[in-house]
Amino acid sequence: MLQELILILTQFGGGPGDPANNVVRFLLATFFWVVLLLVSSLMWRTTADRRHLYFSISAAVGASRELFMFTAEYGSFRGYISFPTIFRYYPPLEHAVAILSIILMGYAFLRFYFSFERFSRFFLICSSLLTLAVYIVIAPLWVRFLDATARASLNSDLFIGAAFHDFSGDLVFRLLGAFVCFLILNSFLYSKTRSIKFPWLAFIAFFFFFMDDALQAVNDLHNDRYAPVFAPLRHCLHIAAIALLVGVYWWEITRQLKGKQQFLQSMLDTIPDMLFYKDVQGVYLGCNQNYASSIIGKPQEEIIGFTDRDFEPDPALVEIIRRTDLECISTQMSCSYERLRTLQDGRQAILETIKTPFHDDEGKAGGLIGVSRDITERRRLEEQLRHSQKMEVIGQLAGGVAHDFNNILSVITGYSELTLMRIEKNDPLRLNIEKMHAAADRAARLTKSLLTFSRKQPLNLRVFDLNPILHNFEKFLKRIIGEDICLNIALADEPLTVSADSGQLEQIMMNLAANARDAMPGGGQLTMDLSRDTIGHAFIETHGYGTPGHYAVLTVSDTGEGMDEKTRQKIFEPYFTTKEIGKGTGLGLAIVYGIVKQHNGYIDVMSAPGDGTVFRVYIPISDSEVKYEGITSPDFHVTGGGTILVAEDDEDVRGVVLDALSKFDYDIIVAEDGQDAVERYKEHRDRIQLVLMDIVMPKLNGRDAARQIRQMHPKAKILFTSGYTADIIQARGELDEGEELIMKPVKPSELLRKMREMLDHG
């Protein structure tokens, strides 16, 4: 068998019956066809892309052509098939298979290279019909033409296949189908795209097929005279053509895969989250640009092939990362965790990382895909929401008991103050009454603090310059902080006009000063300064809050102990305190926060252990003119005289008011509710100089009663009292001109002073 194969190969370059031509042709060509068949089949199965299927079919047809040629030639050489019989059927079948292979290859290129769907099917149908027409219509006409012109073809006694080996016939029937199909393909491409973008390597491959058939036709015309020369050339052309087609296909697969990878990477790089993927050993397979720059700080290509241990200096964090990797892969379930990390730009961020396993073709875990997201801002918002919810709960609690509690405190403070007015200074019971009065004051301040914290304390807004407020409050601040702390006050160089409640702003200054005092038990320096600042987009992006505009800024800084980040994030929470039990209520800074928010302002704090603390309070600048200067009121001499209509539904509170007014010689007309107040005013409107009544009363509330009184006397002076929260009071309407409001619990001296002020002015 080996000797026979050697004999065949030594006869390379023989005539048409020489099998050496087709042995070499078959072995080499089939190799490339099979490679193309295997590659396209594999791509079709792994990608489920049908376009690869057409390359597989084309390769299979091309391989069958080589097998058919080898079988015919070798069978004839060994005597299994007679030579005349071969030439009855061999040329038309070989031509048909060759043309079909070219048609399928063109169809596959249209589908794969250009992604033409219906267009490529149109080409397949037209090319197939044209090829069929060539062999069914033109071939018989060509034979008749030969007979009519008495042109004898080779082996003219044989069937139509012999005519195909005439030079002219071979040129027509071997080349016309391929040439026409190729022409149609390029015509279709031009009509579709207005350009011919066919791969040059594929064009060269088709040209080599054309030259192969042309040389065969020339050789047949001269009765195999040039076979020794043409045979190697034809082999090289044929093998080169197939190799080029395989190369084009492989190059196109590589190009498209690379394009898809680039598209995928570009898509990943546009995602704001930080994405990465690893194998089961924790080795990076890839990541997006955001992950590489924010987490690792290296180019993407320098991360692949390494683990977190190569980049992360914190062993504890590396352990957490590896443990969650293994948990994700072993459980085959997604896992997530949150961690505070320092990014490459130096910013600390809370990252939420979600890891999900992926699988290989066999269904085994191939690694994991991870997504890290900066959640520092939804967490900041969540914290603000929780803070607001806590404030709302406490506000609802305080508001629910404020009215009754303030009425009770009004009775306690009222009677205790009236008793102190009557009792001698050396009376042994005076000290007890003073302590009772002081306790009632503390209870009243606690209620007010709760309402202020929950932003339910009504604001007494005035337009004023903030500089005198701080200047006049300096002496009081010194008493708060003590002698071992040095107080530095720096006023602004320009007026800082705000619309605010001066008493509330004083509360901010007092609470911040007390907080600084507690942070400096061994003494230190406390600095308060006023300045003007503008909140812009840079501030908003940095802090995560703010409204653009001009603000008055109160900066309070101390040289105290400072605090860590965990403490800093909780200082505005209600009842949070670092002091011992019984040393603080935990409401001081919470009240500051509530007041600032009520004034549509912002508060910022910076601190570190051992570096002191700096608070910055932002209050919006007002464009209105200053109508109120300073914090002190004239010292009225409390005197009586006049007729007062007192409308109060609480009997105990009413008793305190009547007792206080009687002591200072006021004539009193009493009403028990709003409707009763209107009736009493009708009866005595010529005498009544001032109406003192509660806002919320049965039958007819104070606001509605006041409107009816104003209908009788438009300039009637009305002083409202209330123990309810601001939202309930505001629901009753705004105060009109000539109306004032004083909040319970109110001391008799304060009530008398306010009444005297209203009676004496206008």
Side-chain angles (χ1 to χ4, degrees), residues 19 96 140 386 448 460 742:
R386 284 195 295 268
K448 184 177 180 180
N460 185 21
I742 188 168

Side-chain angles (χ1 to χ4, degrees), residues 162-177:
F164 278 41
H165 273 267
D166 179 83
F167 173 74
S168 302
D170 224 27
L171 187 62
V172 171
F173 300 120
R174 291 175 68 90
L175 304 178
L176 182 60

Side-chain angles (χ1 to χ4, degrees), residues 506-552:
E506 292 168 10
Q507 183 81 27
I508 290 177
M509 298 175 188
M510 183 177 67
N511 287 11
L512 291 180
N515 185 77
R517 176 200 63 202
D518 296 338
M520 298 183 289
Q525 290 189 357
L526 171 62
T527 303
M528 286 190 174
D529 65 76
L530 290 171
S531 61
R532 182 187 181 99
D533 197 2
T534 300
I535 287 183
H537 295 292
F539 179 96
I540 297 173
E541 291 179 1
T542 302
H543 294 80
Y545 58 81
T547 301
H550 301 291
Y551 290 80

Side-chain angles (χ1 to χ4, degrees), residues 14-269:
D18 185 354
N21 289 327
N22 287 324
V23 168
V24 177
R25 188 186 188 106
F26 168 73
L27 292 177
L28 294 178
T30 301
F31 168 76
F32 288 105
W33 282 118
V34 170
V35 169
L36 180 59
L37 176 64
L38 292 177
V39 171
S40 57
S41 299
L42 180 63
M43 293 299 298
W44 169 44
R45 293 186 60 184
T46 55
T47 64
D49 191 338
R50 290 189 303 167
R51 294 177 297 180
H52 299 290
L53 172 64
Y54 306 122
F55 276 99
S56 300
I57 297 175
S58 175
V61 172
S64 66
R65 179 199 179 196
E66 302 300 334
L67 178 62
F68 175 74
M69 292 171 62
F70 174 75
T71 302
E73 296 281 354
Y74 189 70
S76 173
F77 177 77
R78 294 301 301 268
Y80 301 140
I81 306 175
S82 66
F83 185 77
T85 303
I86 293 176
F87 276 89
R88 285 181 179 274
Y89 308 106
Y90 168 67
L93 291 177
E94 182 200 355
H95 298 166
V97 172
I99 298 302
L100 179 60
S101 176
I102 294 175
I103 291 174
L104 291 173
M105 187 65 69
Y107 176 64
F109 267 111
L110 285 173
R111 292 292 298 273
F112 185 76
Y113 190 83
F114 300 99
S115 297
F116 294 158
E117 296 293 336
R118 286 180 292 182
F119 179 73
S120 58
R121 289 196 293 269
F122 183 54
F123 163 77
L124 179 62
I125 294 173
C126 291
S127 300
S128 301
L129 291 177
L130 182 62
T131 303
L132 186 63
V134 168
Y135 281 93
I136 293 180
V137 178
I138 298 180
L141 291 178
W142 179 260
V143 174
R144 291 185 181 183
F145 171 76
L146 293 177
D147 293 340
T149 56
R151 291 188 61 190
S153 62
L154 295 176
N155 303 305
S156 57
D157 58 330
L158 300 178
F159 191 60
I160 191 173
F164 278 41
H165 273 267
D166 179 83
F167 173 74
S168 302
D170 224 27
L171 187 62
V172 171
F173 300 120
R174 291 175 68 90
L175 304 178
L176 182 60
F179 179 78
V180 170
C181 291
F182 188 68
L183 183 64
I184 291 175
L185 175 61
N186 285 278
S187 300
F188 279 13
L189 283 176
Y190 185 79
S191 64
K192 183 74 174 179
T193 64
R194 293 301 173 187
S195 64
I196 300 177
K197 282 180 55 181
F198 209 68
W200 280 105
L201 291 179
F203 176 83
I204 295 173
F206 286 127
F207 179 75
F208 283 177
F209 278 129
F210 181 91
M211 292 301 299
D212 177 23
D213 284 340
L215 292 177
Q216 178 63 38
V218 172
N219 185 61
D220 288 345
L221 179 63
H222 294 83
N223 293 318
D224 292 334
R225 178 180 178 182
Y226 301 111
V229 178
F230 284 178
L233 290 177
R234 290 186 61 219
H235 295 166
C236 293
L237 289 172
H238 191 79
I239 300 305
I242 299 174
L244 284 174
L245 288 178
V246 175
V248 168
Y249 181 70
W250 188 261
W251 172 81
E252 183 60 24
I253 290 176
T254 304
R255 188 187 69 83
Q256 291 204 11
L257 289 177
K258 184 177 180 180
K260 289 180 179 179
Q261 290 177 347
Q262 292 176 343
F263 173 76
L264 178 61
Q265 189 63 49
S266 299
M267 183 176 63
L268 294 178
D269 289 340

